[in-house]
Amino acid sequence: MPLLRWLTRDIDINAATHAPYRLLEEVAKHSHGDRDAGNMLIQGDNLDALKALLPYYAGRVKCIYADPPFNTKQAFPDYDDNLEHTIWLAMLYPLLELQRDLLSPDGTLFVHIDDNELGYLIAIADEIFGRKNRVSIVTFKQGAATGHKAINPGMVSTTNFIVVYARDKSQWRPNRVFTGRERDKRYGHFLENPQDHFTHWRLTTLSAAFASHKGKKIAELKKELGPQRYEDELNTFVIAHASQIVQPVRPDYDAVSEAAQQLIDQSRVEPEKVFHLHRLGFSDMYFQGGQRWIFYREKLKEVDGALVAGEPLTTLWDDLLSNNLHTEGGVEFPKSKKPEALVKRLLELSTVENDLVLDAFLGSATTAAAAHKMGRRYIGIERGEHAITKCQPRLQAVVDGEQTGISKAVGWKGGGGFRFYKLGAPVFDDTGHLSENVRFAPLAAHLWFALTGIPYKGRATSPFLGSHEGVGYYLLYNGILGDKRPNGGNVLTGKILANLPPHDGEKIIFGEGCRLSAERLEAEHITFRQIPYEIKAR
């Protein structure tokens, strides 16, 4: 497969490996609600944060939404979208690598981009994910050709794109999603007497049935309501009476069963009579005069809790405009905020409740807000003060039950919570040893989660971190036993073992060294793991 080359490629493709490995440290004052709900908001560089997540979540993220800078050569109030092209490639390549490693085998990556870097994104994403795992390219209508956009000659850009990759397309199982569409006006007939036996059914026109329902003549009704209101009320009538709205169509004779062909032939011989074909496991068929009656109810799908005329999701999304978003979520993010409805569609396509969602370009926290309201767990990463000034307040409002965005569509009432984290100092120094800046508490939380898969709830004031499924976990580090000398208390000896809090069963002990014999370790049911070599990292 051809590879994209740029000036610093040889350095950039190894950037993920060379990025410093950091621990995550909770900032409790910015956490909110149920801290054990499994949701994380991380403040820090997204490359370092993604690498810090690997020991916890490698292969466990079901959906990633990535909204990197479009590189439009503009500077916006909240971020700079004017990167030199090589720098943009250098930024994105390692981020895609780490996000690939975090995805589950059946996971999905959605990358939102416009046409400035679309071709280059596809080239490097094909290399990292494999071209065979590229699923599709969605065209997303972002705006309309109005205002200042319509002044200049030439074509007006109103769309951008969502490039979709599966971690492993052979295991990818997307959900079936429907979108609403305008009423199909070909369904122009109305069944007057559905309560009667089908042999006595009668059809009239839809407009006549609607006028009769309103108790007025058609012309009078149109004049009274006006064009738009007439259509709106007619649409409501159609949805309410969908089992009576009919479109007679001429079926493909060669494509139907023999039984259907026989009834088509009979209906031509007796054109005034309605014929019925019962089908096990499928909707029944009705024929008159060589035509099949198609009922509008078969087009209805439930979308956002309401029955609407629906069609399967396509790769052209022109129904989720990004205008009037200034109040959504209660935070400003000019020129870049995405609608919660867009993220909702992505999550409906690729996840179910309790699945894990990741956004490493969190921005105004749209992805996390939508995921929270839809019952998905999430990890959001945002650098700088935006994590505190925009993301945290928005998610706090979601926990408290705010009602903008998709809240009404998904029945959101509030609840749940999240933990706020910052990135700690690099774990390892230049010699490969633990940095002296690494404190006991975040290292304890990291080891506990990496080994058990659940958040650490202890106070980190004892070398005994706790027990899980019968195994006791210990950490000898940073003078936790009271000895502040560099190696004091960090080496497992008989004396130290005797003073450790007891645990009846298997024990895993982390330390910088071990003076106990293999026989003694086996007798004490101890598995010793040496720091820093057995701290799980990329």
Side-chain angles (χ1 to χ4, degrees):
M1 182 180 73
L3 300 179
L4 182 66
R5 297 206 61 84
W6 61 95
L7 183 62
T8 58
R9 174 185 166 87
D10 292 341
I11 297 173
D12 300 335
I13 63 175
N14 294 306
T17 300
H18 295 309
Y21 181 70
R22 302 175 184 270
L23 296 181
L24 296 171
E25 300 182 12
E26 184 180 3
V27 183
K29 68 178 181 179
H30 294 316
S31 300
H32 188 67
D34 179 6
R35 294 169 56 248
D36 294 327
N39 302 316
M40 304 173 69
L41 173 56
I42 302 172
Q43 180 184 31
D45 177 82
N46 49 15
L47 182 64
D48 288 358
L50 288 170
K51 189 160 183 177
L53 290 169
L54 281 177
Y56 304 88
Y57 294 109
R60 298 176 61 184
V61 177
K62 190 64 178 293
C63 169
I64 295 176
Y65 174 65
D67 185 20
F70 286 5
N71 216 15
T72 59
K73 309 307 177 186
Q74 302 178 68
F76 296 116
D78 292 297
Y79 68 100
D80 186 6
D81 198 27
N82 184 20
L83 297 176
E84 196 276 325
H85 180 62
T86 295
I87 296 176
W88 187 88
L89 292 169
M91 170 200 71
L92 200 60
Y93 192 99
L95 292 174
L96 288 175
E97 269 196 312
L98 292 178
Q99 289 175 103
R100 176 203 61 197
D101 293 347
L102 287 163
L103 272 179
S104 62
D106 59 347
T108 312
L109 170 73
F110 300 96
V111 186
H112 200 146
I113 203 73
D114 73 357
D115 53 5
N116 285 288
E117 297 284 6
L118 175 63
Y120 297 96
L121 165 67
I122 292 174
I124 60 174
D126 276 359
E127 177 183 346
I128 293 168
F129 279 81
R131 184 174 180 176
K132 66 179 181 180
N133 291 317
R134 188 186 343 139
V135 173
S136 58
I137 301 174
V138 173
T139 300
F140 173 56
K141 186 175 181 180
Q142 183 80 2
T146 58
H148 70 278
K149 294 181 179 180
I151 297 175
N152 297 326
M155 292 178 285
V156 179
S157 177
T158 60
T159 61
N160 44 52
F161 307 93
I162 300 173
V163 186
V164 187
Y165 283 86
R167 179 64 181 89
D168 181 351
K169 199 171 182 180
S170 67
Q171 300 187 54
W172 191 62
R173 301 292 183 271
N175 301 317
R176 189 163 176 79
V177 177
F178 292 89
T179 57
R181 56 170 295 174
E182 292 183 354
R183 176 173 61 87
D184 189 338
K185 296 181 180 179
R186 294 174 299 177
Y187 286 74
H189 293 76
F190 187 85
L191 176 59
E192 292 184 300
N193 55 332
Q195 71 282 357
D196 293 341
H197 192 270
F198 68 86
T199 56
H200 301 293
W201 281 355
R202 300 186 306 274
L203 293 182
T204 186
T205 64
L206 172 59
S207 56
F210 179 54
S212 175
H213 174 75
K214 289 290 190 178
K216 297 183 179 181
K217 295 181 179 179
I218 295 175
E220 180 184 353
L221 191 60
K222 287 184 175 180
K223 182 178 180 180
E224 177 184 313
L225 296 177
Q228 186 58 53
R229 188 178 169 193
Y230 177 86
E231 277 299 314
D232 290 343
E233 294 198 17
L234 178 58
N235 290 340
T236 301
F237 176 79
V238 167
I239 296 297
H241 299 82
S243 61
Q244 293 173 258
I245 310 300
V246 176
Q247 177 193 8
V249 298
R250 198 164 300 280
D252 183 347
Y253 190 85
D254 295 328
V256 299
S257 67
E258 184 178 344
Q261 289 176 347
Q262 291 177 358
L263 290 185
I264 293 171
D265 294 338
Q266 292 181 42
S267 72
R268 287 169 177 164
V269 174
E270 302 178 74
E272 301 300 320
K273 186 177 179 181
V274 177
F275 293 84
H276 168 236
L277 175 63
H278 175 70
R279 299 193 301 168
L280 186 63
F282 298 92
S283 58
D284 288 359
M285 302 175 77
Y286 296 89
F287 300 94
Q288 185 185 44
Q291 293 183 307
R292 180 188 172 189
W293 289 7
I294 307 293
F295 289 85
Y296 201 69
R297 63 171 180 260
E298 297 178 15
K299 296 183 69 69
L300 296 187
K301 306 294 179 183
E302 185 172 323
V303 177
D304 294 340
L307 283 177
V308 298
E311 65 179 5
L313 186 64
T314 71
T315 56
L316 175 60
W317 297 359
D318 58 358
D319 58 332
L320 301 173
L321 293 181
S322 298
N323 51 5
N324 299 321
L325 293 179
H326 57 281
T327 61
E328 189 168 285
V331 296
E332 292 288 338
F333 209 77
K335 304 294 184 181
S336 186
K337 186 190 288 186
K338 301 301 187 294
E340 288 185 14
L342 170 63
V343 177
K344 174 177 175 289
R345 178 166 295 173
L346 301 178
L347 299 186
E348 287 175 334
L349 179 65
S350 62
T351 68
V352 296
E353 285 191 16
N354 207 42
D355 278 345
L356 183 60
V357 179
L358 169 68
D359 187 341
F361 300 87
L362 193 58
S364 63
T366 298
T367 301
H372 195 118
K373 294 175 184 179
M374 295 176 67
R376 276 65 168 169
R377 295 175 297 124
Y378 58 85
I379 302 170
I381 303 168
E382 181 58 38
R383 70 174 68 225
E385 289 302 305
H386 287 171
I388 297 174
T389 61
K390 297 184 183 295
C391 301
Q392 196 278 345
R394 181 172 188 175
L395 295 180
Q396 181 169 323
V398 169
V399 172
D400 294 342
E402 66 90 7
Q403 290 298 298
T404 64
I406 64 171
S407 293
K408 290 183 173 60
V410 300
W412 177 246
K413 303 297 182 184
F418 60 91
R419 294 188 185 220
F420 187 102
Y421 291 87
K422 68 176 183 178
L423 292 175
V427 177
F428 305 109
D429 60 24
D430 293 338
T431 66
H433 291 86
L434 279 178
S435 169
E436 61 181 17
N437 295 320
V438 174
R439 297 181 291 110
F440 179 86
L443 182 60
H446 167 81
L447 291 175
W448 177 266
F449 193 103
L451 292 167
T452 68
I454 60 176
Y456 182 60
K457 299 181 181 180
R459 299 176 60 188
T461 57
S462 165
F464 180 59
L465 306 184
S467 63
H468 178 71
E469 296 181 350
V471 179
Y473 295 93
Y474 296 79
L475 174 60
L476 306 178
Y477 176 70
N478 206 24
I480 190 61
L481 292 175
D483 190 336
K484 300 300 183 181
R485 290 175 297 174
N487 293 318
N490 296 343
V491 177
L492 181 60
T493 65
K495 182 178 179 180
I496 287 179
L497 178 61
N499 288 293
L500 290 178
H503 172 72
D504 185 16
E506 296 291 330
K507 294 178 278 291
I508 294 178
I509 301 178
F510 282 85
E512 292 187 7
C514 178
R515 303 277 175 81
L516 303 183
S517 66
E519 292 77 14
R520 178 75 184 277
L521 291 174
E522 183 177 1
E524 297 285 353
H525 306 292
I526 295 172
T527 299
F528 180 78
R529 296 189 176 180
Q530 189 173 12
I531 299 172
Y533 310 108
E534 295 197 54
I535 295 179
K536 190 176 180 183
R538 190 172 190 269

